[in-house]
Each structure stands twice: as structure tokens, then as C-alpha cells.
Amino acid sequence: MKKIIIFLGPPGSGKGTQAKKLAADFGFVHLSSGDLLRNILKNPLANDPETEKALAAMKAGLLVSDQYIYKLVFGEIKKHLTDGKGVVLDGAIRNLPQAEEYQKFFQENNLSDEVLAVEISLTDEESFNRLTKRRICVSCGEIIPYLPATRDLTACPKCDGELKTRADDDPEVIKKRIVEQGNIALAPIISFYENLGILRRVDGQPAIEEVAVEVKKAVKAS
Ligand code: AP5
């Protein structure tokens, strides 16, 4: 089984939901570039002009600069891989230059044989539907789907924390994210991993548990 699992997919396709599950099942570390950015947002003392620019881009639904992402994510990957753990990268690659730079990083660290990319495919329309209804637990980060069993919850089922809508889940920002980071933007990244022979595709439309079974199968077979 590979040690570096890269989740790809449009905003709202279920990358975070599936990455958390996979990491918990296999004892891997879940590294979400979006969560790393949101953690910085919670700590204004850490802010500097470069950080301000990154967070403004994020709020507007645009991509943060590639260099900022490398600084944020590469150190984390190294830290956890030297601990002997695998890592699940969630949303950490959003354009072709990033895909190439990560691959270079993996090669330099003798990790290129350890990489598997998993695309969670979903239409942009369904992504939009899910994101307009998503809630997140402020305390533990649990992602709450809009399903009959969860849509009326008033507190987090795991820790009783407060449930909120993410700041960038505003309909206009979601539209922007889908234009900037949806299926059209993803196509060259998907081709990149396809050409390397390390891409697996999982349909993100079925129920969460069904998608999880397919993701697990793909990763176990790698
Ligand atoms: P990020 O936090 O990564 O946001 P995103 O890509 O927009 O992805 P989301 O978290 O919105 O969706 P997801 O695919 O994880 O879906 P989820 O599991 O929550 O990035 C935020 C911002 O940071 C970016 O816009 C950008 O500015 C910046 N950024 C981050 N990385 C960057 C990078 N590498 N380069 C540059 N900038 C970067 O699921 C969505 C909803 O659907 C949930 O409610 C969930 O419960 C529900 N759901 C999931 N699966 C199912 C299912 N099968 N059936 C029904 N509901 C489901």
C-alpha cells in the first residue's frame, strides 16, 4: 500500500470527508491545506503581508499562491513521514505547477514510488448543492452532510460543539471556487497523474459509506 495518498476533486466532492475516514482507518495523518490555512486565520498574531494576501485569496474563493502552499505543506509531509506514518493529502494540489512541484519534492525525498492519487469525481452542480448546505463543527472540525439523519442536528454528534457554515461557503464564493477549482481546472492535474499511471477514480455521487468502501479498495490495491 502506498504511503502518500493525494485526494483530488472539485470543491465539495467529499475530499475532506473521505480523507478523514481513510486516515482514521489506516492510521495515516490527514493533511488538509484548507484546514492549515483556516488554522492560520484563527491566529491573527501569526499574520504577515504574505499571509494576509493568502487569506484574502481564500476568502474570495481564489487559489492561494503556490509558494505559500509549498511552505505550508511540505514541512508537514516531511514531519509525519519521518514519524513513519502515511499521509493523506486533502486539497493540497490545485493546479498543474503544484502537481509538478509536489512530484519533484517526492522525488527529492525518495518518495515517488509511494504516491497514489485518488480522484473523487462529482459534477460541479452537485458540488454546489452540497456546499450550500454543509456545516462544520467549530470545535473538532467534523463535517456535517445535509442528509435526513444529520440535517436537523443543532450540535456536533461527536463533541457537542457548535455547528457553523464555513466563511467561504457563501453561494457567490462557492460559484467562484467552482469556476477556479472545479472540474475544468482539475482536468490537467488529472491527466498528469493518469500519465504517471498512479491515478484511481472513485465516483463521489453515492452515499458517503459507499464512496469510502471504493476509496479503501483503491488504496489497498495500490
Ligand atoms: P479547502 O478547504 O480544501 O476547500 P475545497 O477544495 O473547496 O474543498 P471543500 O472543503 O469545500 O470540500 P471537500 O471536497 O473537502 O468536501 P467535503 O468532504 O467537505 O480549500 C479552501 C480554500 O483554501 C481554497 O478555496 C483556496 O483558496 C485555498 N487552498 C487550499 N488548498 C490550496 C492549494 N493547494 N493551492 C491554493 N489554494 C489552496 O464535503 C462537502 C459536503 O458534502 C459536506 O457537507 C459533506 O458532509 C457532504 N458530503 C460528502 N460526501 C457526500 C456524499 N457522498 N453524499 C452526500 N453528501 C456528502
Side-chain angles (χ1 to χ4, degrees):
M1 209 167 73
K2 306 286 186 193
K3 274 196 157 171
I4 300 168
I5 312 300
I6 299 170
F7 273 100
L8 303 169
S13 54
K15 301 182 296 294
T17 302
Q18 296 300 333
K20 278 172 190 268
K21 276 183 174 295
L22 188 75
D25 285 351
F26 291 163
F28 282 20
V29 175
H30 171 216
L31 280 182
S32 153
S33 46
D35 285 349
L36 291 171
L37 287 163
R38 279 182 287 278
N39 284 341
I40 295 175
L41 187 63
K42 278 190 211 154
N43 177 11
L45 286 179
N47 286 3
D48 55 41
E50 216 187 335
T51 300
E52 300 279 0
K53 217 169 128 192
L55 298 178
M58 192 185 175
K59 278 186 198 159
L62 302 171
L63 287 183
V64 167
S65 82
D66 295 347
Q67 293 305 325
Y68 197 86
I69 292 294
Y70 306 148
K71 251 202 299 191
L72 200 61
V73 184
F74 287 175
E76 290 291 319
I77 297 178
K78 270 193 176 171
K79 190 166 82 192
H80 294 296
L81 285 172
T82 48
D83 286 349
K85 288 189 176 166
V87 295
V88 183
L89 295 178
D90 162 12
I93 296 169
R94 309 281 174 132
N95 58 29
L96 190 55
Q98 287 185 11
E100 290 167 346
E101 193 63 25
Y102 272 77
Q103 207 53 27
K104 212 167 110 196
F105 168 81
F106 295 139
Q107 271 156 9
E108 284 164 3
N109 289 280
N110 296 321
L111 292 166
S112 24
D113 289 342
E114 290 294 345
V115 183
L116 183 76
V118 179
E119 177 196 0
I120 312 232
S121 64
L122 198 70
T123 61
D124 291 341
E125 291 73 20
E126 180 60 15
S127 291
F128 181 82
N129 277 337
R130 288 185 186 175
L131 290 179
T132 48
K133 299 184 178 107
R134 169 172 65 183
R135 290 179 300 160
I136 306 283
C137 171
V138 182
S139 306
C140 74
E142 181 73 0
I143 305 167
I144 312 294
Y146 189 79
L147 297 173
T150 52
R151 67 183 167 212
D152 296 326
L153 288 174
T154 52
C156 175
K158 283 212 170 141
C159 74
D160 210 31
E162 187 189 355
L163 301 182
K164 272 201 168 170
T165 298
R166 230 170 72 178
D168 59 348
D169 280 348
D170 161 88
E172 287 313 307
V173 180
I174 296 172
K175 279 185 203 159
K176 184 82 184 164
R177 278 158 62 206
I178 288 176
V179 170
E180 297 281 326
Q181 308 169 41
N183 284 304
I184 292 176
L186 270 170
I189 311 175
I190 302 295
S191 303
F192 175 82
Y193 290 108
E194 216 163 23
N195 291 336
L196 290 176
I198 55 171
L199 178 78
R200 303 290 177 272
R201 200 170 266 125
V202 172
D203 180 5
Q205 182 63 46
I208 292 174
E209 289 310 326
E210 287 174 50
V211 178
V213 168
E214 293 308 313
V215 168
K216 227 172 164 178
K217 263 194 224 164
V219 172
K220 273 189 169 168
S222 69

